[in-house]
């Protein structure tokens, strides 16, 4: 049986996401922005965050996947496979809109090794945006493999596997309202 322990409650998340939205609104006052969410984990965070940013804004989504065969949950009950990406990232869904000369807020659920975001950052920078900022709800700095920092961070968390509020284990638990540490998945 999976064991789920609440790490961040829905109230803590709501309060922090509102603060992050206010910070973004202050930094981009009088300008328009584009939120680019990383599918699928950032979908819930993006939808909550954007509603706290009362600026002219549009949404876009990018899809990425890591190369490599990951064992199934049955083969890897500790869940490390879902966690340790091979490091090679590929685009599964490109952006729909032009990023050229736009203020881009890249929205991600969690910054872990940093490999995914550094890849996406390069893809977006190739389009020559006016500015590019990263908003990550969670940050696990202890696991970083490449040097990358988010401009807006919700919570810095310890080295544990978390699910809920968009984050999954083998595609499950994204709909949990709280962020939980999962063991025995
Ligand atoms: P990175 O490339 O290692 O920074 O990995 C980022 C991606 O790995 C995130 O977008 C998540 O999809 C996934 N990930 C990393 N840590 C966790 C976790 O604790 N729970 C769920 N997904 C995670
Ligand atoms: Mg993700």
């Amino acid at each position: 049986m999976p064991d789920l322990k609440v790490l961040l409650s829905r109230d803590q998340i709501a309060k922090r996401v509102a603060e992050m939205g206010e910070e973004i609104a202050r930094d981009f006052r009088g300008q328009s922005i584009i939120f680019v969410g990383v599918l699928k984990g950032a979908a819930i965070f993006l939808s909550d965050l954007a509603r706290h940013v009362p600026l002219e804004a549009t949404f876009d989504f990018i899809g990425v996947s890591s190369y490599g065969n990951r064992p199934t949950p049955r083969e890897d009950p500790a869940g490390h496979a879902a966690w340790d990406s091979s490091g090679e990232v590929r685009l599964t869904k490109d952006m729909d809109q032009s990023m050229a000369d736009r203020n881009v807020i890249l929205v991600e659920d969690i910054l872990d090794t940093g490999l995914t975001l550094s890849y996406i950052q390069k893809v977006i920078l190739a389009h020559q945006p006016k500015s590019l900022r990263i908003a990550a709800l969670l940050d696990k700095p202890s696991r970083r493999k490449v040097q990358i920092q988010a401009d807006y961070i919700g919570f810095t968390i310890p080295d544990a596997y978390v699910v809920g509020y968009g984050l999954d284990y083998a595609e499950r638990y994204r709909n949990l309202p709280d962020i939980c540490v999962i063991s025995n998945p």
Side-chain angles (χ1 to χ4, degrees):
M1 276 296 282
D3 176 38
L4 297 165
K5 286 202 178 63
V6 176
L7 177 69
L8 299 162
S9 72
R10 62 199 80 182
D11 293 344
Q12 282 175 288
I13 298 167
K15 183 166 174 284
R16 186 68 193 121
V17 170
E19 289 169 356
M20 294 174 83
E22 283 155 24
E23 215 181 313
I24 292 170
R26 261 199 312 277
D27 291 352
F28 289 91
R29 197 171 49 182
Q31 304 183 65
S32 65
I33 58 174
I34 176 163
F35 291 102
V36 178
V38 184
L39 293 171
K40 303 166 203 164
I44 293 178
F45 174 42
L46 187 149
S47 67
D48 283 346
L49 180 68
R51 283 179 285 179
H52 288 284
V53 183
L55 301 176
E56 190 186 305
T58 55
F59 290 3
D60 210 329
F61 291 93
I62 193 169
V64 289
S65 160
S66 298
Y67 280 113
N69 277 333
R70 295 177 180 188
T72 62
R74 191 186 297 270
E75 290 161 343
D76 175 34
H80 290 105
W83 197 345
D84 283 318
S85 50
S86 65
E88 274 183 273
V89 182
R90 90 194 142 93
L91 213 57
T92 56
K93 189 212 163 288
D94 205 347
M95 295 155 296
D96 298 327
Q97 302 165 52
S98 166
M99 300 290 127
D101 214 29
R102 309 287 307 273
N103 293 310
V104 179
I105 311 283
L106 180 53
V107 183
E108 176 61 310
D109 49 7
I110 185 165
L111 185 49
D112 186 30
T113 64
L115 291 161
T116 306
L117 273 187
S118 64
Y119 172 81
I120 297 171
Q121 204 179 27
K122 281 192 204 109
V123 170
I124 296 178
L125 286 175
H127 292 255
Q128 300 190 305
K130 184 175 174 194
S131 65
L132 174 59
R133 299 275 171 86
I134 295 173
L137 179 65
L138 305 176
D139 188 15
K140 268 195 246 179
S142 58
R143 300 233 326 141
R144 205 73 93 247
K145 286 185 186 158
V146 292
Q147 228 207 329
I148 183 166
Q149 274 182 330
D151 302 282
Y152 307 99
I153 295 169
F155 303 91
T156 299
I157 63 165
D159 185 3
Y161 198 84
V162 291
V163 296
Y165 196 73
L167 292 138
D168 73 308
Y169 175 80
E171 295 299 327
R172 296 175 62 203
Y173 309 109
R174 294 192 195 276
N175 58 328
L176 295 180
D178 307 305
I179 292 175
C180 302
V181 173
I182 187 166
S183 45
N184 284 331

